[in-house]
Amino acid sequence: MPVEFISAVHTDAGASGPAASSRTGLDVHHLRKYARALDDGGFDHTLVAYHSASPDAFQIAQFVATHTERVRPILAHRPGVVFPTHASRALATLDQISNGRLTVHIISGGSDEEQHREGDYLGKAERYERSDEYVQILRKVWQADGPVSHEGKYFRFEGYHSDVKPVNGLIPISVGGSSQDAYRVGGQQGDIFGLWGEPLKETAEQIAAVNAVADAAGRPRPRIWVSFRPIIAPTDELAWEKAHRTLGVLQDQAKNTELLRHYRTTGRPANVGSQRLLDIAERGEVHDRCLWTAPAVATNAAGASTALVGSPETVAKALLDYVDIGCDLLSIRGYDPLNDAIDYARYVLPLVRQELAHRTATSQAA
């Protein structure tokens, strides 16, 4: 499979500065502009994130699909919110609307506090078990020629049938996380597995853990999706100056408890992915070529938060380092989302694709 680029849509008109990741509003004009910028810029996918306080992800994904031609929405979806029979039909409908461009990213939930906001009181291990069963049901319904019944640990129904099917028979399923439960479900069920940006050594170890599960289950190994928040400028020196300005804004933002009260959990994060980022930050602020962990500390590792800092050439080389260890879905979204997406499209994507094309040509000529 080719190496592809992922971004993430932002729904707020205020999403034009480093504090944008915590904005909560919906500005349709801005969303349309953002989605079209990704489409025109050559991004292959865009994440439509999910949070209990955010605009509805299904409707945002449909909006993105109907206002773009090529970019593929990756819809983040929590199994504890929508019953799987309804989800199978809604997802298949959205896939039809997007002409087969949809991917579904299953979020089991790393924070009890956030899950409780929507009435989900299962423990973390049970949430991952439920996700496993949920994905099995989705695929069973999508592939069925007639009524489907199911009796499992978390879901039970009889004689369900959907008249709408995905364009290509199935919709790709993505799973993410850094816990053993995540590796198990992702390896057994995922077409894609998502990781946050850790150093190369730790990333390779996580890839190996997921692949081992897939191999044991007799399934194809999932494609690996890795996420960063690149900070770029014409030179490395200017990029680091920009990075420290961005960090100052993030630190000021962290003091605004009213702004963040729906988006941050209190104390040390409960999810393993955030804990890993904070532990890595304690071991050093800069890793490998240009991986910077200070933003993870400033945001309490609330989501994908580590940065790649440098000139477009430096950041492109860093991304290729991850390609070399098995990552072929590169998620890059900035702390200044729209402006950064435009800059990545102009200066980073072409460099990575040019090098990959050169490698392919050299290999074919050998």
Side-chain angles (χ1 to χ4, degrees):
M1 297 290 288
V3 172
E4 296 177 325
F5 284 93
I6 303 172
S7 184
V9 295
H10 286 260
T11 62
D12 194 294
S16 58
S21 58
S22 295
R23 304 279 182 170
T24 62
L26 173 59
D27 183 314
V28 173
H29 173 74
H30 178 80
L31 176 59
R32 184 185 298 110
K33 179 180 179 180
Y34 197 102
R36 288 177 175 172
L38 299 180
D39 209 34
D40 294 342
F43 281 91
D44 301 286
H45 307 264
T46 186
L47 174 66
V48 180
Y50 184 99
H51 191 276
S52 61
S54 297
D56 181 70
F58 264 93
Q59 295 183 63
I60 298 301
Q62 179 177 340
F63 185 93
V64 170
T66 55
H67 287 86
T68 58
E69 299 293 332
R70 195 185 56 82
V71 70
R72 299 170 59 93
I74 301 177
L75 173 64
H77 181 66
R78 282 186 182 168
V81 177
V82 180
F83 201 78
T85 49
H86 177 75
S88 69
R89 188 171 69 253
L91 291 167
T93 302
L94 181 52
D95 192 59
Q96 288 284 344
I97 290 171
S98 70
N99 193 28
R101 287 184 282 155
L102 185 64
T103 296
V104 182
H105 182 53
I106 297 295
I107 302 176
S108 299
S111 164
D112 290 345
E113 183 179 343
E114 165 64 7
Q115 298 299 123
H116 293 173
R117 290 167 179 161
E118 294 193 292
D120 185 3
Y121 287 88
L122 291 182
K124 183 177 178 182
E126 291 178 303
R127 293 199 294 268
Y128 273 101
E129 286 183 346
R130 179 179 60 191
S131 292
D132 192 306
E133 185 177 339
Y134 200 95
V135 173
Q136 293 182 53
I137 292 169
L138 292 178
R139 289 179 172 144
K140 185 187 300 184
V141 171
W142 290 335
Q143 293 179 299
D145 293 327
V148 173
S149 298
H150 176 86
E151 185 167 353
K153 182 175 180 180
Y154 299 99
F155 303 103
R156 177 184 176 184
F157 56 90
E158 298 177 8
Y160 178 75
H161 172 72
S162 173
D163 289 332
V164 59
K165 302 291 185 180
V167 171
N168 298 307
L170 290 170
I171 297 171
I173 299 290
S174 169
V175 177
S178 295
S179 66
Q180 293 300 318
D181 287 329
Y183 300 155
R184 176 181 56 79
V185 176
Q188 291 178 350
Q189 301 294 345
D191 301 304
I192 296 168
F193 192 85
L195 297 169
W196 289 341
E198 297 188 7
L200 291 162
K201 177 179 179 295
E202 286 80 358
T203 302
E205 291 170 351
Q206 292 200 81
I207 294 172
V210 175
N211 287 344
V213 174
D215 292 346
R219 292 193 70 254
R221 292 177 172 182
R223 302 180 70 191
I224 301 298
W225 162 11
V226 62
S227 298
F228 305 97
R229 300 283 195 120
I231 300 172
I232 65 170
T235 67
D236 289 347
E237 181 180 13
L238 290 173
W240 280 106
E241 291 176 3
K242 179 179 176 182
H244 285 98
R245 290 195 302 271
T246 300
L247 181 62
V249 174
L250 294 174
Q251 291 168 336
D252 289 342
Q253 175 187 319
K255 300 173 185 177
N256 189 340
T257 56
E258 179 62 24
L259 179 66
L260 301 179
R261 63 190 177 92
H262 292 305
Y263 286 84
R264 297 275 180 80
T265 54
T266 56
R268 182 171 171 82
N271 61 304
V272 175
S274 293
Q275 293 173 9
R276 287 176 63 101
L277 292 187
L278 294 175
D279 290 344
I280 290 167
E282 287 185 0
R283 300 202 305 266
E285 188 172 311
V286 181
H287 297 261
D288 301 323
R289 193 183 296 271
C290 61
L291 180 70
W292 192 40
T293 62
V297 177
T299 60
N300 201 27
S305 48
T306 52
L308 298 173
V309 182
S311 66
E313 292 77 12
T314 295
V315 170
K317 289 176 182 177
L319 290 169
L320 288 163
D321 291 338
Y322 285 88
V323 172
D324 291 340
I325 63 169
C327 304
D328 59 0
L329 290 163
L330 305 176
S331 176
I332 53 173
R333 54 190 173 110
Y335 282 108
D336 184 357
L338 177 56
N339 293 325
D340 284 344
I342 293 170
D343 283 346
Y344 300 157
R346 288 175 176 170
Y347 305 120
V348 177
L349 271 63
L351 290 176
V352 174
R353 287 176 171 151
Q354 180 181 344
E355 173 58 22
L356 291 171
H358 173 73
R359 293 181 181 184
T360 298
T362 300
S363 175
Q364 292 174 346

